[in-house]
Amino acid sequence: MEDYHKPDQQTVQALRNIATRLRINSIKATTAAGSGHPTSCCSVAEIMSVLFFHTMKYRPEDPRNSNNDRFVLSKGHAAPVLYAVWAETGYLKENELLNLRKVDSILEGHPVPKQQFVDVATGSLGQGLGAACGMAYTGKYFDKASYRVYCLLGDGELSEGSVWEAMAFASYYQLDNLVAILDINRLGQSDPAPLQHHVEKYQRRCEAFGWHAIIADGHSVEELCKVLSQPCHQPLAIIAKTIKGKGIPAAEDKMGWHGKPLPKDMADSVMKELQSRIVSSSKRLYPAPPSEDAPPVSLRNIRMPSAPSYKTGDKIATRKAYGMALAKLGRYNEHVIALDGDTKNSTFSELFKNEHPNRYVECYIAEQNMVSVAMGCAARDRNVVFASTFATFFTRAYDQLRMAAISESNINLCGSHCGVSIGEDGPSQMGLEDLAMFRAIPTATVFYPSDGVSTEKAVELAANTKGLCFIRTSRPENTILYNSNEDFHVGQAKVVYKTNDDHVTVIGAGVTLHEALAAAEQLKKERINIRVIDPFTIKPLDSKTITENARATRGRIITVEDHYYEGGLGEAVCSAVVNETGFTVHRLAVSQVPRSGKPQELLRVFGIDRDAITQAVRKVLSSSTNAK
């Protein structure tokens, strides 16, 4: 540490004063709110003071500047101390802190990106480090810039497996621009954390995961200044031994104070005592400005260079069409990147990797971390991010997905191998809940393309659509249905088969759309005409096209989907037509946990193949005849 310059006494005192003011403002804000986590804020006051007023380089008047060092508060419940920091920089007005948790204030109970100084929402514990990994990976390998990434974690969240997925990712990719500070304050919410104050055990764990780990006194400004300026050729973990509730005599290192504001009289006397510790100092500390070396990035207008090159009648699996489309999109847009969880030869993201190896990030079998890394890579609009795995494996990252929505994150996810149509691998590999899962997320757009052309269009549209985008792809090869010049839009369905005298409207997607078209040909021989609709996006669903066409078939609708009954295409259609009089919806879907078998056998066994559709059409028609 030859180049370490010890801070002078005035700087040390100024940093201590800031830490004391952070405690005062955290107590004041939580007492005014009548809720919050003052003791969790007090354990990190010195850490926050040193980080923001000695270590980090950033422009306080421009928190989202692309050159700034990044900070992620993984222990999101300590939000008041983060707000106190930004009041200390002058970015927030100090009296605004008294509006903490109020319905008309941006200072919510946990950090959210409507605050300009927050990149990703936190508060569901164990997720901040994964996002920080995405930011650090972007800084080192894509931006090739000098900004650094700091992540503050609590000791309670170190029980989350996702933290250790992130630890493994960071060391594997040698993210030497990443610093994790572990606030080891011993106490969780209802019990002490499992390792309590055994800081050397934390150190050994971090070292086992390939990090350089240093133990420090988390309340010593001098020690923190020193360890935070340590040059390092691997990710750095600072294991800060702290006391929960430090500075609040009645609560220091005591159980029973988590998430409890101080009563007003106690808060007043504690703040008065803390105020008396502030030593007047003429020195005012300002953050150092960052190096201006992050390249300008524009993510506007990410377009395909040409129309799809498929011929109608050709056969291709939509999962392969996804890989081809992604590689093509990346050819003319250098900020498109792809992540995968060791399934790239199944999702076909390997086609992107083969063409653009430097923009492909292998996340291995750690789907929770993959989604968090995707969020970090997308933060501050540095990249257009696509992440892929089997549709069913996104279920284990659902908490990360809902936090991505709260984070206002723009990420694109492709889930392949959906439904029973994957065949022999059996139910553990079949995505049958994914539509329900993504439909429930407020910011999500759900694409379900049925051929190569619509898959390529879905990829292009997803790249330009805000929020979470999910593209559901299938394993079997299916016929190309659309001309390459066909126009696609989010929320616009396609009528793919119709006559002037149709009896029933059938809505299918992916594999089941092709079954519906086969059923239409079969029924034509019996002089029964059906109209077939491809919804293209399940959310938003094109209610107008569905309603208008169903009206032409006297309100008779059949939906058929390779998904469970709950939360999928059928329920989406029911919601769309619920207020229409004289409409009936007959739903075909997978009704129980499936099994192994050949794809066509399983479609038959679970009643979603062409024969099941023709049967359902006959049944719907005979029951309406009987009704007459």
Side-chain angles (χ1 to χ4, degrees), residues 201-451:
K201 289 186 179 171
Y202 287 110
Q203 184 181 33
R204 288 202 293 275
R205 286 186 185 184
C206 293
E207 286 171 347
F209 273 79
W211 287 54
H212 182 55
I214 307 173
I215 293 168
D217 174 354
H219 298 305
S220 161
V221 160
E222 298 96 322
E223 249 187 82
L224 290 167
C225 285
K226 187 173 179 176
V227 294
L228 279 163
S229 59
Q230 177 121 348
C232 204
H233 302 298
Q234 61 199 114
L236 173 63
I238 289 159
I239 293 137
K241 188 175 182 180
T242 60
I243 289 166
K244 194 163 182 173
K246 175 80 168 168
I248 308 170
E252 278 193 9
D253 201 31
K254 299 263 194 325
M255 281 303 302
W257 277 97
H258 182 91
K260 289 183 184 160
L262 274 55
K264 189 164 186 329
D265 51 347
M266 184 198 272
D268 289 341
S269 73
V270 169
M271 289 192 290
K272 192 176 170 191
E273 202 280 318
L274 286 169
Q275 193 66 48
S276 71
R277 294 187 197 174
I278 293 177
V279 178
S280 66
S281 157
S282 56
K283 185 147 192 176
R284 178 113 166 77
L285 297 182
Y286 297 96
S291 306
E292 307 276 331
D293 57 3
V297 170
S298 168
L299 303 183
R300 273 208 271 302
N301 223 13
I302 305 287
R303 297 283 170 230
M304 285 292 186
S306 56
S309 54
Y310 300 106
K311 308 264 184 299
T312 41
D314 285 359
K315 284 192 132 184
I316 189 170
T318 53
R319 61 174 177 143
K320 186 172 186 181
Y322 165 77
M324 291 169 71
L326 194 57
K328 181 173 171 181
L329 191 68
R331 227 168 280 160
Y332 296 88
N333 302 280
E334 61 177 353
H335 297 296
V336 172
I337 67 167
L339 286 62
D340 201 296
D342 192 28
T343 55
K344 58 184 172 289
N345 51 350
S346 294
T347 61
F348 281 93
S349 65
E350 69 175 0
L351 299 178
F352 181 93
K353 185 195 176 192
N354 295 344
E355 257 189 70
H356 320 286
N358 297 337
R359 287 189 271 142
Y360 173 84
V361 186
E362 180 54 72
C363 296
Y364 298 97
I365 303 167
E367 291 83 8
Q368 295 183 7
N369 189 57
M370 178 174 77
V371 172
S372 293
V373 168
M375 283 166 62
C377 289
R380 298 197 193 187
D381 293 333
R382 302 309 291 168
N383 301 290
V384 174
V385 185
F386 284 83
S388 48
T389 182
F390 285 21
T392 200
F393 302 146
F394 278 117
T395 56
R396 77 189 301 148
Y398 197 43
D399 193 7
Q400 280 74 6
L401 295 167
R402 59 175 277 278
M403 289 304 292
I406 297 168
S407 296
E408 298 169 26
S409 188
N410 300 318
I411 56 174
N412 307 297
L413 308 152
C414 176
S416 71
H417 292 67
C418 65
V420 299
S421 61
I422 69 163
E424 290 83 352
D425 268 350
S428 70
Q429 313 297 298
M430 295 169 174
L432 289 157
E433 314 81 4
D434 50 308
L435 292 177
M437 175 168 83
F438 281 98
R439 278 183 66 227
I441 295 172
T443 68
T445 301
V446 180
F447 294 91
Y448 193 174
S450 298
D451 79 338

Side-chain angles (χ1 to χ4, degrees), residues 459-617:
V459 168
E460 183 178 31
L461 286 165
N464 294 283
T465 301
K466 291 253 177 277
L468 264 73
C469 289
F470 176 61
I471 303 173
R472 188 179 210 233
T473 65
S474 309
R475 187 167 186 264
E477 290 191 346
N478 281 121
T479 313
I480 297 292
L481 302 173
Y482 295 105
N483 290 323
S484 57
N485 57 359
E486 183 78 35
D487 216 9
F488 284 84
H489 299 280
V490 170
Q492 193 180 84
K494 300 281 183 191
V495 179
V496 290
Y497 195 95
K498 69 183 280 194
T499 70
N500 294 330
D501 177 30
D502 290 329
H503 305 111
V504 180
T505 296
V506 178
I507 306 167
V511 170
T512 62
L513 181 71
H514 295 271
E515 293 297 317
L517 289 167
E521 292 298 338
Q522 261 170 254
L523 288 162
K524 198 157 105 185
K525 294 171 189 160
E526 303 169 32
R527 303 221 167 122
I528 297 170
N529 294 328
I530 65 173
R531 190 161 296 193
V532 181
I533 294 179
D534 169 9
F536 183 57
T537 54
I538 309 296
K539 180 183 178 178
L541 190 72
D542 185 352
S543 314
K544 188 168 170 282
T545 297
I546 288 169
T547 309
E548 283 171 3
N549 283 279
R551 218 171 262 137
T553 61
R554 298 187 184 169
R556 295 185 285 244
I557 300 174
I558 294 172
T559 63
V560 53
E561 62 192 301
D562 198 355
H563 186 275
Y564 288 137
Y565 272 94
E566 291 74 19
L569 172 64
E571 286 195 354
V573 170
C574 286
S575 305
V577 301
V578 69
N579 294 323
E580 300 294 328
T581 45
F583 272 50
T584 55
V585 181
H586 183 90
R587 296 185 295 140
L588 302 177
V590 179
S591 59
Q592 64 207 72
V593 174
R595 50 158 302 116
S596 292
K598 289 192 166 62
Q600 216 47 55
E601 290 173 335
L602 294 174
L603 293 176
R604 190 187 73 241
V605 169
F606 292 100
I608 55 172
D609 70 342
R610 57 199 69 183
D611 294 339
I613 296 167
T614 52
Q615 221 172 318
V617 168

Side-chain angles (χ1 to χ4, degrees), residues 85-134:
V85 158
W86 284 95
E88 191 70 34
T89 68
Y91 183 78
L92 292 174
K93 291 189 171 68
E94 202 164 304
N95 61 354
E96 173 63 16
L97 300 178
L98 298 176
N99 296 325
L100 174 72
R101 294 175 166 237
K102 288 187 180 162
V103 72
D104 53 357
S105 168
I106 63 159
L107 303 181
E108 296 200 17
H110 290 78
V112 287
K114 62 172 69 115
Q115 303 142 2
Q116 288 295 299
F117 47 83
V118 170
D119 288 302
V120 289
T122 53
S124 181
L125 292 171
Q127 299 189 28
L129 190 59
C133 281

